Amino acid sequence: MAHAQIAAIYQIFLKIPCRTPRWTRALARQQTPFLRSKQRTRLIGTASQEARSMANRSRRVAPVGLALVLTLVMAGCNANSQSPEPAKEKAKAAAALESVPQGQTLHYLSRRANESFETANAQMVPTSRLRWVHRGLTSWQTFPDKDTILVPDLATDTGTTTDGGKTWTFTLKEGLKFSDGSPITAQDVKYGIERSFAPMFQGGLGYHKTLLVGGTDYDGPYDGKELDSVEVVDDHKIVFRLKRPFGNWPWIVSMPAFAPVPAKADTKPETYGEHPVASGPYQVTSFRKGSQAVLERNPNWKADTDQARFAGPDKIVLDMGLNNDTIVQRLIDDKGEDKAAISNALISPSQFQRIESDPSISNRMANSPSGYFRYLAMNVKRPGLSDVRVRRAINYAVNKAELQSVYGGPKFGGQITSTIMTPGIPGHTEYNLYDGGDTGNVDKAKELLAEAGASDLKLTLTYPTDVSAIEEKEAQSIKNSLARIGVKVELKGLDGDTWSELVSSDDGDYDMTTNGWGADFPSGMSTIQPLFASSEIGDGGGNASKYSNPKVDAAIDAAIAEPDLAKAATMWAAIDKQIMEDAPVVPILVQRTQALAGSKILNYFIPAYPPFANELVVGVGR
């Protein structure tokens, strides 16, 4: 990758300290370079509309193409079968451990100004540092060479339903205790969920807020009210009543808001995240806001009740507010306590070059096998793109190899793709309806244009200009590709806010736009529904193609409602291909990210999903 390319991408991430995933129209949106800050609530009539209102938490992402020492609120990349993962990376993945040594101190170096262990508005996945302290009803097990799986955490299983996914029941394991010695009960889980509805905790992964009956009208427990759709049957049994059947509910209850919170300890909600009562293997013993948190073992946590955490270190020291480049340089230098450190910093261009040139450093860098979906959206409402043959022609015409080069090549930029769902998402299946080779098939594209009677075609391509130079280079590459088949493209760069308003409006004045997306949990719903459901057209939605197909909408509704997740995965795979038959997008890349660790760190790998290292299974060697 050229130095200038890496530098451009690096600047993206330094400008974006924390990207807010963009679904949930019924929830307040936090302002980011990509999202509008608006709050909308609407009456819902179909399952896909329900999902839109309650769950639109998947992420519109900036272009990725440099090595990252990952933040766990950002995401990653893909290793496509067209270009095998380097042997070195496979060897590292194969070295993943089933356990880690007990003992030592783990150091976490954070570039965030402040870290918190608050769950009510957290956006971190269940494999992040937040879960050193907190457990959920379910959790995730990750592997270097196979898909992430859902496992019971506080619950005895991953939930049961007897009415097709509208009502879910979970039973807590026996003998669970908080760090203060009090028992963990179903009431504590209910209270933890309820407090996430309080206005003071805007944001977070809020799928549950409009899925639960009465959730849209509930404002939390601090006025003495309860959410009746979360029913405590007894100390161990909790029941959730949803507005509609929702097969992915077992994944939803792995999210931060489902961590138990004892009401008696929540006397100061604004600062509870600094000294929470722990249900996980570590408790916060010292917290200095913006400076440092110290975590030590929770004596009441039992390893035999926890499938998700190895809890190797005796102690974890989390340093906050550190300079990004300084963190990476410390990890590169690998001295003293930094040998036992991991981080959320981003690698700068010069540091990346240093890492690549030294095997003793590059061997400590994990390379992600899957992650963000990068694509070209075509506005099917526009006259020039209303004919599917034209859209198919563009699929054949795009030189994906050149775009891959723009992002840094197959090893660090991303892998060429032809599907919507990415590897690591259940149901992902390799296929290529428009196989023009990596560089495109100009003759086939011209043939389709001739069939469509599309001559002298002129299209616009819009993209955000204040993100990075990569977006502009990407757009120029697409323009060059289409020029080969006689299609003239006018590039229209816009500032990020204007661009976001345009592509998320109902009647946006554009023909094409580049875009990226990542999922919050491993289901086709997290990508397909927000990008292709008719309910996602306009009003801030993610359907930039303005694609609307009643048969696809019905299939999406059915897949969302399906409680058998294996069956649902098959359904999402079929929907993926069904959509691509209509060619509303050109899949381009699944983008890579990387993570760097100190030389004493053990079991540091990146799974296919989520595309960052699982911090719950990391150990420290002697």
Side-chain angles (χ1 to χ4, degrees), residues 603-619:
N603 213 38
Y604 201 64
F605 63 90
I606 301 178
Y609 183 88
F612 19 80
N614 184 341
E615 295 175 342
L616 307 185
V617 299
V618 169

Side-chain angles (χ1 to χ4, degrees), residues 21-25 51-52 54-58 207 529-530 536:
R22 54 143 303 138
W23 269 31
T24 317
R25 305 204 182 164
R52 170 193 187 184
M54 67 88 201
N56 245 343
R57 303 296 315 169
S58 293
Y207 291 85
Q529 192 277 337
E536 287 297 309

